[in-house]
Amino acid sequence: MIFDGLSAVGDDLILRISILYKADNNPNKVDLGVGVYKDADGYTAILKSVKEAEQFLVNNQQSKGYLSPAGNPEFNKAVEELLFGKDHPVVKQGRVATMQAPGGTGSIRIGADFLKISHPDATVWISNPTWPNHFAITDMVGLKSKSYRYYDIKEGQFLFLEMLEDLKAAKEGDVVIVHGCCHNASGADLSNDQWDQLADFMAERKLVPFIDIAYQGFANGVEEDAYAVRMMAEKLPELLIASSYSKNFAMYRDRAGAIAVVSPTAQANEINASHMLKIIRSIYSMPPDHGAAVVAHILKDDSLRKQWYQEVDDMRGRVKKMRLLFVKKMTEKAPNSGFDYIVDQNGMFSFLTLLPEQIQTLINDYSIFMMANGRVNMAGLTENNIDYVTDSIASLFKA
Ligand SMILES: Cc1ncc(COP(=O)(O)O)c(C=O)c1O
């Protein structure tokens, strides 16, 4: 027998929180766990630009025949421009290949499989804390990984100097996963100046950035959030970029993402792309088209593109407003609670600087669900639940 020797692996923590949330009967329950954007009514709605593009596809799509392993060519071109901007030198030099993949996760997986072929001895450096799938994927493809200090959860502090200190131990050719913007889980991002310093540091030590950008547009704007990608592609000869369109197009289940490789020469780039295509063929042959076709249509249609930019601005604006409101109310209700750092963080996530037992009290006694380490999705806050949430947290400081 070969199928009776395994022991069960633990289930995904975030799924466990979702199950607990669904099963809870408290009418005031709040879900700050799951990482999806929610609107002012607490709902993950379909964007208007997406609905319109879907309608366009229903009316106009003529065939659902196979495409190539690289997926939808219009999508690849459009997201390459979203990432690199118009006329980026590496694009003009033919040193970039961008391939559609199933979501950000699928894109990171293709990038990791590619690393396993191109540089199997590389150690992949991963921020502590991070989105747990970075470890899961590198482990699954058999790459070595190490973590670097990034954020102090207890103190609510970004650790840029400690990050550089830890990365001094990286060897030439090692790979460093960085979050392009809106770091998940801390919300703490590098400033542009710090990105420049990191790029110089990595160029000097011949390290390879692997940029995971899953929230473009959620920090400061679609163009602004591409700073790290565009600058690093100019300063470093080779890098990988995994992008996700799950959040900024609110198409979580349609799995639109892309893996881009930047190579030192156009010739190397063709060879690298051929390996990526081989990897893709052996896993899923070609990615699912619908989400990518929607993104491609929106980005090439001037008026839909404008509308989408506005919708991204609205999502970003709402989360920022909730951050401000949360900190204002906490300052009023519990002046020593010390959540000021949350205002300056980006994207949907932050850690609450609470003790593990305080987090459990919020979950068990108040039905406010979050990750056990205190990671919260600020988009789960609404004008309707913010008083309940801040009153509940303030009560922890009164005991
Ligand atoms: C940092 C980071 N990278 C990648 C992803 C994956 O996104 P997708 O849902 O497109 O696979 C996520 C999703 O939560 C994320 O937070």
Side-chain angles (χ1 to χ4, degrees), residues 57 61 63-64 67 71-72 100 254 286-294:
L57 292 180
Q61 200 171 39
S63 169
K64 287 191 182 285
L67 296 170
N72 185 313
Q100 188 203 330
D254 286 323
M286 68 157 280
D289 181 62
H290 179 75
V294 168

Side-chain angles (χ1 to χ4, degrees), residues 110-263:
I110 300 302
D113 274 318
F114 173 73
L115 285 172
K116 183 69 184 168
I117 291 170
S118 59
H119 193 10
D121 296 330
T123 294
V124 179
W125 292 78
I126 297 174
S127 70
N128 177 21
T130 194
W131 180 58
N133 235 354
H134 287 158
F135 282 107
I137 294 170
T138 39
D139 284 356
M140 202 53 110
V141 304
L143 285 164
K144 289 188 292 270
S145 62
K146 280 193 179 151
S147 62
Y148 60 85
R149 280 173 293 170
Y150 185 85
Y151 184 82
D152 185 332
I153 298 177
K154 263 207 227 132
E155 299 296 327
Q157 246 171 32
F158 175 41
L159 303 173
F160 183 61
L161 294 178
E162 290 80 353
M163 170 185 186
L164 294 185
E165 192 56 40
D166 289 355
L167 289 176
K168 281 185 188 158
K171 296 182 304 298
E172 182 175 328
D174 276 359
V175 175
V176 183
I177 298 186
V178 288
H179 299 227
C181 65
C182 305
H183 182 270
N184 179 5
S186 69
D189 284 341
L190 284 73
S191 65
N192 287 356
D193 189 45
Q194 288 169 328
W195 277 118
D196 291 344
Q197 285 182 54
L198 180 67
D200 292 340
F201 174 98
M202 290 179 75
E204 205 175 293
R205 288 174 166 75
K206 299 193 167 52
L207 306 178
V208 181
F210 189 159
I211 305 179
D212 174 4
I213 179 158
Y215 302 89
Q216 189 176 350
F218 276 41
N220 295 301
V222 173
E223 292 299 311
E224 291 84 344
D225 293 355
Y227 181 81
V229 171
R230 295 175 190 178
M231 178 275 298
M232 283 195 150
E234 284 208 38
K235 283 197 176 175
L236 288 132
E238 46 193 8
L239 58 152
L240 287 165
I241 299 139
S243 55
S244 165
Y245 303 92
S246 303
K247 327 279 166 162
N248 50 12
F249 283 82
M251 284 199 299
Y252 301 86
R253 63 178 73 160
D254 286 323
R255 315 307 300 138
I259 179 73
V261 56
V262 176
S263 312

